[in-house]
Amino acid sequence: MRISVASVMRLLSVAALLLPVGSRCGPQEAQHSNKSDSSAAYKNPDLPIAKRVDDLVSRMTLEEEASQMGYASPAIPRLGIPYYNWWSEGLHGFGRAGRATVFPQAIGAAATWDTDLIRRTAVAVSTEGRAKYEEAMATNYVGANRGLTIWSPNINIFRDPRWGRGQETYGEDPFLTARLGTAFVEGIQGEDPYYLRAVATPKHFAVHSGSELLRHITDVNISPYDLEDTYLPAFRAAVVDGGAGSVMCAYSGVDGQPDCASDLLLRNHLRDAWHFQGFVVSDCGAISDIWDNHHYTPDSVHAVALAIKAGTDLSCGDEYRDVPKAVKEGLLSKDDVNRAVKRLFTARFRLGMFDPPGRVPYANTPLATIDSAVHRALALRSARESMVLLKNDKGILPLGPSVKTIAVIGPEADLVVALEGNYNGTPLNPVTPLVGIETRFGKQDRLVYAQGSELVSEVPVPIPATALQPARFGEETFGLGGLTGEYFHNANLEGVPAMTRTDQSVDFDWAGLDPIPAAPTSRFSVRWTGTFTPPAPGDYRIGVDVGGCYPCKDADNFRLYLDGKLLEERPTTPDLMIPIRFTDTGSHRLRLEYSHSRGGMNRNLSFGGDVAGITLLWDPPAEALRNEAVAAAQKADVIIACVGITRDLESEENAGMRPGVPGFYGGDRTDIALPQPQQDLLKLLAATGKPVIVVLMSGSAVAVDPDLASAILAAWYPGEEGGTAIAETIAGDNNPAGRLPVTFYKSVADLPPFDDYSMRGRTYRYFAGQPLFPFGFGLSYAQFEYSGLKLSSTELSAGSDLGVDADVRNTSQRDGDEVAELYLTFPKSENAPIRALRGFTRVRIPEGETRRVHFSLQPRDLSEVNDAGERIIASGDYTISVGGGQPGSGLSVVESHFTITGTETLPK
């Protein structure tokens, strides 16, 4: 086999990357030149990356180095260094950059229990990110969310369902999170030994999962046991096993030190114990928190010095402008700065930013990959696999041919935001549950629809199709109602419309894209016309919300007319809900005009992209909505009730969430029950005597009363194809096999205080009560039986591996996926969890067939943590269980026992 010189040099460079920082070539002293040297070592792609980085950094002034340590790093023309913005999001699709494939939110992805699918999803995310980056380079785009450093995955432990950002995580279990997070990291970064497709950034290191409003001041006093047992394992796996190129430190503090200046986290664990060679980026503004909120240093300069010395190399902020001052005052050395900047440029070189495109395997990724047919099919597969069937009385699902008429009811049925989750891209053709069910089951002949309720009291929701009638029917008419939409290629409603269609509701997210095919995103306008019919007399509020990012929001304008009278407009008046009293149920002429002319106005803003979108809202009398729902239910054989919450209710530091909304505060939840208006709706629907199928859309556990439903399907925030997957599951085209990645508790009364970070009484590992639905639970339309459990040995020496095999038989007459879960029960001790997940595999089993599943448990899988925070393998008797869920969940499980002799302490 012939090996090229270039290949040898690549391998040598990779080897250099694996060396400790201190063993690499030190900085070279060089005179700072006013022009780039074409023969400079850093320009030679055949040299090892470490040598190239050393050469480049040696040519920078201190001020130039400092400029590269903020997330918006300016160009240094004399050295040929281009501008680069480090901030890009890719949680479940390349985010905040316009059109992208929108996959199920992370918590839904976790419900698939499918590492291969997570890896494939991450490949799609970073591939679309590469395409966005190539376009940005070609068009000289300046702004965030077009780069190759992707600030995902969020692998914090979802320890409490009240946390508003739990939707971004892979759930409550360290082992499941570690496996899925590692797969995501590997998919983002690619397979090439030399170049990275993108850099993954596991976040937020490390104990971030508490009050959103207090996150900038929270200091967590955590026991060594909980830190090592719960909060660190997923980060260790992402770094040690996944090779993550970056880590983001959190706003909060641990044991008295802010996370982004923490010796315990950044030095003792990340660098020393785990030998992390990548760069650390702060959460946005977290360096300022060190002195401004944690009051850990007297001023910004000291905070900057402390963070850099601890190992935070990049600031998502502008605090590192004080680096030269910190050096001048003796708080930082030039070597401290060099070390951080070298880490940053090592990443940029590995991304191929200084090499000819022909050498970089991921370069020139075409825009056609974005939301391609292949990626959309992957999003649909992920949505299908994420569906978790929690209840199915008398086999009501899948719906059979005897069901003639279906009532689709609920505030989530036709809500685009309920598909997206947060940190999302923009889906081109999002499929809501209503649209998916219409497509699968038919329209007027089989389907009735009613909104039924608001999400929460007095918070407006989109006006549904049932209250609207188009002026004339255009393309894509669904028959349930709507408005005639005329779409123009200009911002002034001029000329002949480029497209006319019927929109069931005005509820659009057009961030970074144009609703008119093959049109530029900078300027377009829409006129919607038709009639509005209130379902009952009473007091209403009607208004408009436009998608916006402060301060560019006022560039989108609209006018709303009712019966020829101007109700509201922008920019003359702010967004308001206009009170209107209707004395009857007559029809009223309605016209809404929307103009988008922002263009490149916000190209330099942090979030990047061209934000656009509009929603026509109402706040109707609750009784009117409920009466409509009951009337629709009475016409149907079965009711599909789409209920839940949205990213606007559970969210990140949502200080803007208006006070007084029951169950929610500042982005977090104060109650885990279904909001009261939706509870009232379900009670009315159940009282009709018709079967009620609840489709629950949320990013966290919601305590839905099982007595109000014949079936419950947890659909999460399922992404752009979510409605298709929901409809296919209800119809039986998709056999659900998702499993809960979190415990569904009955109420907050079952939980310790939210601000208590101890794991006692939390999650399936330490909760001794009876959950509503346990972690790992999920039903199927097929039935599976486990047998033949065999261990490679029943007596092990500490430090040995253990092989586990079992047979899984599909005893039904339907093909299906099964998730085999392996749990370990430890010798009894004060700290030992009730049980701990230590293996899982998702397998397809045809009807009547048997598959042998195998698990290989490594010493770390057989370990636990002692009081001192040491990970040990203890002597004693252990129990292995393998089945479709936890022991006691009602699903088939087989058990066996083994003994470990001796003890062993493992590395951190």
Side-chain angles (χ1 to χ4, degrees), residues 91-131:
L91 184 64
H92 57 118
F94 199 77
R96 297 176 172 175
R99 180 180 176 183
T101 309
V102 180
F103 295 90
Q105 176 60 290
I107 194 69
T112 70
W113 291 53
D114 189 336
T115 54
D116 179 66
L117 180 59
I118 299 293
R119 187 178 291 104
R120 289 170 182 255
T121 299
V123 169
V125 172
S126 57
T127 298
E128 294 191 10
R130 267 281 171 179

mmCIF file of all heavy atoms in Angstrom, residues 91-131:
data_model
loop_
_atom_site.group_PDB
_atom_site.id
_atom_site.type_symbol
_atom_site.label_atom_id
_atom_site.label_comp_id
_atom_site.label_asym_id
_atom_site.label_seq_id
_atom_site.Cartn_x
_atom_site.Cartn_y
_atom_site.Cartn_z
ATOM 1 N N LEU A 91 -28.785 22.504 18.032
ATOM 2 C CA LEU A 91 -29.347 21.595 19.018
ATOM 3 C C LEU A 91 -30.125 20.451 18.388
ATOM 4 O O LEU A 91 -29.951 19.284 18.736
ATOM 5 C CB LEU A 91 -30.235 22.381 19.978
ATOM 6 C CG LEU A 91 -30.851 21.623 21.140
ATOM 7 C CD1 LEU A 91 -29.775 21.102 22.078
ATOM 8 C CD2 LEU A 91 -31.816 22.531 21.900
ATOM 9 N N HIS A 92 -31.007 20.778 17.457
ATOM 10 C CA HIS A 92 -31.786 19.738 16.760
ATOM 11 C C HIS A 92 -32.059 20.188 15.332
ATOM 12 O O HIS A 92 -33.159 20.081 14.805
ATOM 13 C CB HIS A 92 -33.093 19.427 17.511
ATOM 14 C CG HIS A 92 -33.979 20.616 17.722
ATOM 15 N ND1 HIS A 92 -35.242 20.700 17.197
ATOM 16 C CD2 HIS A 92 -33.798 21.773 18.410
ATOM 17 C CE1 HIS A 92 -35.801 21.851 17.552
ATOM 18 N NE2 HIS A 92 -34.933 22.516 18.288
ATOM 19 N N GLY A 93 -31.017 20.635 14.708
ATOM 20 C CA GLY A 93 -31.052 21.241 13.388
ATOM 21 C C GLY A 93 -30.192 22.484 13.462
ATOM 22 O O GLY A 93 -30.044 23.087 14.529
ATOM 23 N N PHE A 94 -29.599 22.891 12.339
ATOM 24 C CA PHE A 94 -28.761 24.087 12.370
ATOM 25 C C PHE A 94 -29.673 25.276 12.637
ATOM 26 O O PHE A 94 -30.594 25.550 11.872
ATOM 27 C CB PHE A 94 -27.998 24.259 11.057
ATOM 28 C CG PHE A 94 -26.817 25.173 11.185
ATOM 29 C CD1 PHE A 94 -25.655 24.723 11.785
ATOM 30 C CD2 PHE A 94 -26.864 26.480 10.733
ATOM 31 C CE1 PHE A 94 -24.558 25.559 11.930
ATOM 32 C CE2 PHE A 94 -25.789 27.326 10.869
ATOM 33 C CZ PHE A 94 -24.622 26.861 11.472
ATOM 34 N N GLY A 95 -29.441 25.995 13.755
ATOM 35 C CA GLY A 95 -30.425 26.917 14.278
ATOM 36 C C GLY A 95 -30.165 28.373 13.980
ATOM 37 O O GLY A 95 -29.040 28.808 13.761
ATOM 38 N N ARG A 96 -31.264 29.118 13.959
ATOM 39 C CA ARG A 96 -31.231 30.575 13.882
ATOM 40 C C ARG A 96 -30.522 31.097 12.647
ATOM 41 O O ARG A 96 -29.912 32.169 12.676
ATOM 42 C CB ARG A 96 -30.592 31.153 15.144
ATOM 43 C CG ARG A 96 -31.376 30.860 16.417
ATOM 44 C CD ARG A 96 -30.657 31.366 17.640
ATOM 45 N NE ARG A 96 -31.490 31.264 18.840
ATOM 46 C CZ ARG A 96 -31.079 31.554 20.049
ATOM 47 N NH1 ARG A 96 -29.831 31.957 20.250
ATOM 48 N NH2 ARG A 96 -31.885 31.438 21.087
ATOM 49 N N ALA A 97 -30.568 30.349 11.582
ATOM 50 C CA ALA A 97 -29.895 30.762 10.349
ATOM 51 C C ALA A 97 -30.797 30.556 9.146
ATOM 52 O O ALA A 97 -30.343 30.264 8.054
ATOM 53 C CB ALA A 97 -28.592 29.977 10.175
ATOM 54 N N GLY A 98 -32.093 30.691 9.376
ATOM 55 C CA GLY A 98 -33.022 30.521 8.273
ATOM 56 C C GLY A 98 -33.393 29.068 8.048
ATOM 57 O O GLY A 98 -33.418 28.250 8.979
ATOM 58 N N ARG A 99 -33.669 28.753 6.811
ATOM 59 C CA ARG A 99 -34.154 27.427 6.473
ATOM 60 C C ARG A 99 -33.161 26.343 6.892
ATOM 61 O O ARG A 99 -31.963 26.445 6.668
ATOM 62 C CB ARG A 99 -34.395 27.330 4.968
ATOM 63 C CG ARG A 99 -34.914 25.973 4.517
ATOM 64 C CD ARG A 99 -35.120 25.952 3.013
ATOM 65 N NE ARG A 99 -35.525 24.629 2.556
ATOM 66 C CZ ARG A 99 -35.725 24.323 1.276
ATOM 67 N NH1 ARG A 99 -35.560 25.246 0.344
ATOM 68 N NH2 ARG A 99 -36.085 23.099 0.941
ATOM 69 N N ALA A 100 -33.684 25.327 7.534
ATOM 70 C CA ALA A 100 -32.889 24.184 7.966
ATOM 71 C C ALA A 100 -33.843 23.036 8.253
ATOM 72 O O ALA A 100 -35.033 23.246 8.493
ATOM 73 C CB ALA A 100 -32.076 24.512 9.219
ATOM 74 N N THR A 101 -33.320 21.834 8.234
ATOM 75 C CA THR A 101 -34.123 20.694 8.669
ATOM 76 C C THR A 101 -34.312 20.797 10.170
ATOM 77 O O THR A 101 -33.345 20.902 10.925
ATOM 78 C CB THR A 101 -33.424 19.372 8.325
ATOM 79 O OG1 THR A 101 -33.050 19.383 6.954
ATOM 80 C CG2 THR A 101 -34.366 18.200 8.585
ATOM 81 N N VAL A 102 -35.564 20.769 10.620
ATOM 82 C CA VAL A 102 -35.865 20.860 12.043
ATOM 83 C C VAL A 102 -36.244 19.475 12.543
ATOM 84 O O VAL A 102 -37.312 18.945 12.222
ATOM 85 C CB VAL A 102 -36.987 21.874 12.318
ATOM 86 C CG1 VAL A 102 -37.276 21.955 13.818
ATOM 87 C CG2 VAL A 102 -36.591 23.257 11.783
ATOM 88 N N PHE A 103 -35.340 18.889 13.298
ATOM 89 C CA PHE A 103 -35.534 17.564 13.868
ATOM 90 C C PHE A 103 -36.289 17.682 15.194
ATOM 91 O O PHE A 103 -36.444 18.776 15.734
ATOM 92 C CB PHE A 103 -34.180 16.897 14.088
ATOM 93 C CG PHE A 103 -33.434 16.611 12.821
ATOM 94 C CD1 PHE A 103 -32.560 17.557 12.285
ATOM 95 C CD2 PHE A 103 -33.601 15.406 12.152
ATOM 96 C CE1 PHE A 103 -31.874 17.309 11.107
ATOM 97 C CE2 PHE A 103 -32.916 15.143 10.977
ATOM 98 C CZ PHE A 103 -32.058 16.091 10.450
ATOM 99 N N PRO A 104 -36.772 16.576 15.760
ATOM 100 C CA PRO A 104 -37.377 16.657 17.080
ATOM 101 C C PRO A 104 -36.432 17.298 18.090
ATOM 102 O O PRO A 104 -35.213 17.099 18.030
ATOM 103 C CB PRO A 104 -37.648 15.183 17.433
ATOM 104 C CG PRO A 104 -37.822 14.513 16.106
ATOM 105 C CD PRO A 104 -36.850 15.209 15.194
ATOM 106 N N GLN A 105 -37.025 18.079 18.994
ATOM 107 C CA GLN A 105 -36.236 18.678 20.070
ATOM 108 C C GLN A 105 -35.453 17.580 20.793
ATOM 109 O O GLN A 105 -35.833 16.407 20.781
ATOM 110 C CB GLN A 105 -37.166 19.416 21.028
ATOM 111 C CG GLN A 105 -36.522 20.026 22.246
ATOM 112 C CD GLN A 105 -35.448 21.055 21.933
ATOM 113 O OE1 GLN A 105 -34.386 20.689 21.443
ATOM 114 N NE2 GLN A 105 -35.706 22.320 22.209
ATOM 115 N N ALA A 106 -34.352 17.946 21.435
ATOM 116 C CA ALA A 106 -33.427 16.967 22.019
ATOM 117 C C ALA A 106 -34.124 15.976 22.937
ATOM 118 O O ALA A 106 -33.809 14.783 22.931
ATOM 119 C CB ALA A 106 -32.309 17.696 22.751
ATOM 120 N N ILE A 107 -35.076 16.437 23.738
ATOM 121 C CA ILE A 107 -35.743 15.513 24.652
ATOM 122 C C ILE A 107 -36.530 14.462 23.866
ATOM 123 O O ILE A 107 -36.636 13.302 24.286
ATOM 124 C CB ILE A 107 -36.662 16.285 25.635
ATOM 125 C CG1 ILE A 107 -37.087 15.395 26.795
ATOM 126 C CG2 ILE A 107 -37.838 16.900 24.921
ATOM 127 C CD1 ILE A 107 -35.975 15.046 27.748
ATOM 128 N N GLY A 108 -37.083 14.850 22.720
ATOM 129 C CA GLY A 108 -37.758 13.886 21.853
ATOM 130 C C GLY A 108 -36.769 12.941 21.203
ATOM 131 O O GLY A 108 -37.039 11.741 21.066
ATOM 132 N N ALA A 109 -35.621 13.471 20.795
ATOM 133 C CA ALA A 109 -34.582 12.608 20.237
ATOM 134 C C ALA A 109 -34.139 11.583 21.264
ATOM 135 O O ALA A 109 -33.874 10.416 20.933
ATOM 136 C CB ALA A 109 -33.397 13.448 19.775
ATOM 137 N N ALA A 110 -34.060 12.002 22.533
ATOM 138 C CA ALA A 110 -33.672 11.069 23.592
ATOM 139 C C ALA A 110 -34.684 9.944 23.726
ATOM 140 O O ALA A 110 -34.330 8.809 24.074
ATOM 141 C CB ALA A 110 -33.528 11.809 24.911
ATOM 142 N N ALA A 111 -35.955 10.245 23.456
ATOM 143 C CA ALA A 111 -37.006 9.228 23.578
ATOM 144 C C ALA A 111 -36.871 8.132 22.534
ATOM 145 O O ALA A 111 -37.489 7.076 22.668
ATOM 146 C CB ALA A 111 -38.383 9.880 23.473
ATOM 147 N N THR A 112 -36.050 8.338 21.510
ATOM 148 C CA THR A 112 -35.810 7.276 20.520
ATOM 149 C C THR A 112 -34.914 6.182 21.086
ATOM 150 O O THR A 112 -34.928 5.058 20.584
ATOM 151 C CB THR A 112 -35.143 7.841 19.260
ATOM 152 O OG1 THR A 112 -33.793 8.241 19.548
ATOM 153 C CG2 THR A 112 -35.911 9.013 18.686
ATOM 154 N N TRP A 113 -34.071 6.506 22.060
ATOM 155 C CA TRP A 113 -33.075 5.570 22.611
ATOM 156 C C TRP A 113 -32.297 4.926 21.460
ATOM 157 O O TRP A 113 -32.039 3.730 21.459
ATOM 158 C CB TRP A 113 -33.742 4.519 23.492
ATOM 159 C CG TRP A 113 -34.293 5.046 24.780
ATOM 160 C CD1 TRP A 113 -35.157 6.088 24.946
ATOM 161 C CD2 TRP A 113 -34.018 4.567 26.103
ATOM 162 N NE1 TRP A 113 -35.434 6.275 26.280
ATOM 163 C CE2 TRP A 113 -34.765 5.359 27.013
ATOM 164 C CE3 TRP A 113 -33.239 3.518 26.605
ATOM 165 C CZ2 TRP A 113 -34.736 5.152 28.386
ATOM 166 C CZ3 TRP A 113 -33.219 3.318 27.976
ATOM 167 C CH2 TRP A 113 -33.948 4.123 28.864
ATOM 168 N N ASP A 114 -31.904 5.727 20.496
ATOM 169 C CA ASP A 114 -31.285 5.216 19.271
ATOM 170 C C ASP A 114 -30.016 6.016 18.995
ATOM 171 O O ASP A 114 -30.065 7.113 18.421
ATOM 172 C CB ASP A 114 -32.274 5.347 18.107
ATOM 173 C CG ASP A 114 -31.808 4.642 16.834
ATOM 174 O OD1 ASP A 114 -30.589 4.444 16.675
ATOM 175 O OD2 ASP A 114 -32.671 4.297 16.010
ATOM 176 N N THR A 115 -28.867 5.482 19.405
ATOM 177 C CA THR A 115 -27.604 6.209 19.245
ATOM 178 C C THR A 115 -27.247 6.412 17.785
ATOM 179 O O THR A 115 -26.712 7.454 17.410
ATOM 180 C CB THR A 115 -26.459 5.472 19.963
ATOM 181 O OG1 THR A 115 -26.404 4.115 19.513
ATOM 182 C CG2 THR A 115 -26.651 5.499 21.465
ATOM 183 N N ASP A 116 -27.528 5.415 16.946
ATOM 184 C CA ASP A 116 -27.212 5.559 15.524
ATOM 185 C C ASP A 116 -28.028 6.686 14.898
ATOM 186 O O ASP A 116 -27.517 7.468 14.088
ATOM 187 C CB ASP A 116 -27.477 4.247 14.790
ATOM 188 C CG ASP A 116 -27.175 4.350 13.298
ATOM 189 O OD1 ASP A 116 -25.989 4.539 12.953
ATOM 190 O OD2 ASP A 116 -28.123 4.261 12.486
ATOM 191 N N LEU A 117 -29.282 6.805 15.268
ATOM 192 C CA LEU A 117 -30.129 7.867 14.742
ATOM 193 C C LEU A 117 -29.642 9.236 15.219
ATOM 194 O O LEU A 117 -29.632 10.202 14.447
ATOM 195 C CB LEU A 117 -31.577 7.639 15.167
ATOM 196 C CG LEU A 117 -32.602 8.664 14.697
ATOM 197 C CD1 LEU A 117 -32.630 8.760 13.178
ATOM 198 C CD2 LEU A 117 -33.991 8.312 15.235
ATOM 199 N N ILE A 118 -29.237 9.329 16.476
ATOM 200 C CA ILE A 118 -28.694 10.590 16.999
ATOM 201 C C ILE A 118 -27.442 10.980 16.213
ATOM 202 O O ILE A 118 -27.248 12.144 15.851
ATOM 203 C CB ILE A 118 -28.360 10.464 18.494
ATOM 204 C CG1 ILE A 118 -29.607 10.140 19.311
ATOM 205 C CG2 ILE A 118 -27.673 11.734 19.001
ATOM 206 C CD1 ILE A 118 -30.634 11.225 19.361
ATOM 207 N N ARG A 119 -26.584 10.011 15.942
ATOM 208 C CA ARG A 119 -25.361 10.287 15.186
ATOM 209 C C ARG A 119 -25.691 10.764 13.773
ATOM 210 O O ARG A 119 -25.121 11.741 13.281
ATOM 211 C CB ARG A 119 -24.482 9.036 15.146
ATOM 212 C CG ARG A 119 -23.102 9.264 14.530
ATOM 213 C CD ARG A 119 -22.269 8.003 14.576
ATOM 214 N NE ARG A 119 -21.879 7.647 15.947
ATOM 215 C CZ ARG A 119 -22.445 6.674 16.655
ATOM 216 N NH1 ARG A 119 -23.412 5.933 16.126
ATOM 217 N NH2 ARG A 119 -22.034 6.424 17.884
ATOM 218 N N ARG A 120 -26.629 10.100 13.116
ATOM 219 C CA ARG A 120 -27.029 10.501 11.760
ATOM 220 C C ARG A 120 -27.635 11.907 11.753
ATOM 221 O O ARG A 120 -27.403 12.694 10.841
ATOM 222 C CB ARG A 120 -28.040 9.503 11.200
ATOM 223 C CG ARG A 120 -27.459 8.138 10.845
ATOM 224 C CD ARG A 120 -28.582 7.153 10.534
ATOM 225 N NE ARG A 120 -28.075 5.833 10.231
ATOM 226 C CZ ARG A 120 -28.021 5.312 9.008
ATOM 227 N NH1 ARG A 120 -28.443 6.022 7.975
ATOM 228 N NH2 ARG A 120 -27.547 4.096 8.805
ATOM 229 N N THR A 121 -28.424 12.190 12.772
ATOM 230 C CA THR A 121 -29.003 13.521 12.881
ATOM 231 C C THR A 121 -27.917 14.577 13.000
ATOM 232 O O THR A 121 -27.970 15.624 12.344
ATOM 233 C CB THR A 121 -29.947 13.592 14.097
ATOM 234 O OG1 THR A 121 -31.014 12.656 13.923
ATOM 235 C CG2 THR A 121 -30.519 14.984 14.265
ATOM 236 N N ALA A 122 -26.927 14.320 13.833
ATOM 237 C CA ALA A 122 -25.832 15.278 14.010
ATOM 238 C C ALA A 122 -25.034 15.460 12.728
ATOM 239 O O ALA A 122 -24.570 16.564 12.433
ATOM 240 C CB ALA A 122 -24.931 14.821 15.152
ATOM 241 N N VAL A 123 -24.860 14.391 11.968
ATOM 242 C CA VAL A 123 -24.191 14.514 10.672
ATOM 243 C C VAL A 123 -24.977 15.477 9.775
ATOM 244 O O VAL A 123 -24.404 16.364 9.122
ATOM 245 C CB VAL A 123 -24.054 13.137 9.984
ATOM 246 C CG1 VAL A 123 -23.612 13.295 8.536
ATOM 247 C CG2 VAL A 123 -23.061 12.264 10.739
ATOM 248 N N ALA A 124 -26.296 15.333 9.762
ATOM 249 C CA ALA A 124 -27.132 16.220 8.954
ATOM 250 C C ALA A 124 -27.027 17.662 9.432
ATOM 251 O O ALA A 124 -26.935 18.601 8.628
ATOM 252 C CB ALA A 124 -28.582 15.745 8.995
ATOM 253 N N VAL A 125 -27.032 17.854 10.746
ATOM 254 C CA VAL A 125 -26.936 19.202 11.313
ATOM 255 C C VAL A 125 -25.638 19.876 10.885
ATOM 256 O O VAL A 125 -25.630 21.023 10.412
ATOM 257 C CB VAL A 125 -27.041 19.157 12.846
ATOM 258 C CG1 VAL A 125 -26.735 20.531 13.449
ATOM 259 C CG2 VAL A 125 -28.425 18.692 13.282
ATOM 260 N N SER A 126 -24.523 19.184 11.051
ATOM 261 C CA SER A 126 -23.235 19.803 10.726
ATOM 262 C C SER A 126 -23.021 19.914 9.224
ATOM 263 O O SER A 126 -22.325 20.825 8.758
ATOM 264 C CB SER A 126 -22.085 19.033 11.379
ATOM 265 O OG SER A 126 -22.080 17.672 10.997
ATOM 266 N N THR A 127 -23.617 19.021 8.447
ATOM 267 C CA THR A 127 -23.539 19.152 6.992
ATOM 268 C C THR A 127 -24.264 20.406 6.528
ATOM 269 O O THR A 127 -23.756 21.175 5.694
ATOM 270 C CB THR A 127 -24.139 17.906 6.310
ATOM 271 O OG1 THR A 127 -23.374 16.763 6.682
ATOM 272 C CG2 THR A 127 -24.130 18.051 4.801
ATOM 273 N N GLU A 128 -25.456 20.649 7.085
ATOM 274 C CA GLU A 128 -26.170 21.873 6.732
ATOM 275 C C GLU A 128 -25.424 23.095 7.255
ATOM 276 O O GLU A 128 -25.412 24.155 6.614
ATOM 277 C CB GLU A 128 -27.600 21.821 7.268
ATOM 278 C CG GLU A 128 -28.435 20.728 6.594
ATOM 279 C CD GLU A 128 -29.915 20.817 6.894
ATOM 280 O OE1 GLU A 128 -30.369 21.834 7.472
ATOM 281 O OE2 GLU A 128 -30.642 19.866 6.523
ATOM 282 N N GLY A 129 -24.752 22.945 8.406
ATOM 283 C CA GLY A 129 -23.928 24.030 8.910
ATOM 284 C C GLY A 129 -22.774 24.345 7.986
ATOM 285 O O GLY A 129 -22.441 25.515 7.768
ATOM 286 N N ARG A 130 -22.146 23.313 7.424
ATOM 287 C CA ARG A 130 -21.072 23.518 6.447
ATOM 288 C C ARG A 130 -21.585 24.283 5.233
ATOM 289 O O ARG A 130 -20.927 25.199 4.724
ATOM 290 C CB ARG A 130 -20.510 22.171 6.002
ATOM 291 C CG ARG A 130 -19.324 21.676 6.786
ATOM 292 C CD ARG A 130 -18.030 22.357 6.371
ATOM 293 N NE ARG A 130 -16.930 22.034 7.267
ATOM 294 C CZ ARG A 130 -15.687 22.477 7.118
ATOM 295 N NH1 ARG A 130 -15.391 23.264 6.106
ATOM 296 N NH2 ARG A 130 -14.751 22.157 7.970
ATOM 297 N N ALA A 131 -22.771 23.918 4.766
ATOM 298 C CA ALA A 131 -23.341 24.608 3.606
ATOM 299 C C ALA A 131 -23.601 26.079 3.919
ATOM 300 O O ALA A 131 -23.331 26.968 3.102
ATOM 301 C CB ALA A 131 -24.622 23.910 3.165
#
